[in-house]
């Protein structure tokens, strides 16, 4: 019986990326562009989103679009850093996915069919990034 290695060689310079970080990096590279697309649609005042009244986080679509666009770019940068084996990539990924999760939660009334799956993806990213860190501490 063979045991698969928990380390994967990736990138230049001989840096190693563990499998959980690799999975989280790939998911960050998925969540980021999804947030960027949501932001672009919001900035364009697309009719895709429903406007609600009486909602506590009721901003116009343009500010929401800018928020999602910026967060999406941060998610992509964190994903690249994580896949490249940068030491700051894990922390940046946790912070970016956490902020993305919160903003997606606040955006649910505008487009729940998009926000809820992205929230689930952000939760998976957080799990993958924190799970391996907790297991290494044991």
């Amino acid at each position: 019986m063979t045991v698969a290695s928990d380390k994967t060689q990736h990138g230049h310079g001989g840096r190693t990326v563990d499998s959980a970080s690799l999975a989280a990096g790939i998911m960050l590279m998925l969540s980021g562009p999804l947030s960027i697309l949501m932001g672009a649609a919001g900035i364009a005042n697309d009719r895709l989103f429903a406007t609600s009244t009486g909602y506590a986080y009721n901003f116009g679509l343009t500010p929401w679009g800018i928020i999602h666009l910026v967060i999406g770019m941060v998610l992509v940068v964190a994903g690249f850093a994580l896949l490249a084996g940068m030491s700051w990539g894990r922390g940046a990924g946790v912070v970016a996915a956490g902020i993305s999760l919160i903003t997606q939660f606040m955006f649910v009334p505008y487009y729940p069919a998009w926000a809820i799956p992205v929230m689930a993806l952000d939760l998976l990213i957080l799990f993958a990034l924190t799970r391996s860190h907790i297991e290494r501490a044991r």
Side-chain angles (χ1 to χ4, degrees):
M1 178 181 196
T2 60
V3 177
S5 173
D6 196 27
K7 295 283 184 181
T8 302
Q9 193 76 340
H10 186 77
H12 299 288
R15 292 187 176 126
T16 57
V17 178
D18 62 276
S19 59
S21 294
L22 181 64
I26 292 169
M27 289 187 285
L28 280 165
M29 297 301 292
L30 177 63
S31 181
L34 289 175
S35 291
I36 290 170
L37 289 173
M38 186 183 292
I43 291 171
N45 288 322
D46 198 347
R47 301 239 184 258
L48 182 65
F49 303 118
T51 55
S52 59
T53 58
Y55 179 54
Y57 307 108
N58 191 15
F59 302 130
L61 284 180
T62 301
W64 271 121
I66 293 169
I67 289 168
H68 285 297
L69 189 67
V70 169
I71 290 170
M73 290 188 291
V74 172
L75 287 166
V76 169
V77 168
F80 275 128
L82 199 57
L83 292 174
M86 300 294 183
S87 61
W88 54 271
R90 179 177 303 279
V94 168
V95 169
I99 292 171
S100 176
L101 178 66
I102 292 167
T103 58
Q104 295 297 336
F105 175 75
M106 294 188 311
F107 198 72
V108 166
Y110 293 98
Y111 195 25
W114 186 288
I116 292 171
V118 175
M119 285 172 54
L121 184 60
D122 290 335
L123 282 171
L124 286 172
I125 292 167
L126 288 169
F127 175 74
L129 289 175
T130 57
R131 179 189 143 270
S132 62
H133 181 69
I134 291 169
E135 286 180 0
R136 268 189 268 139
R138 290 182 187 179

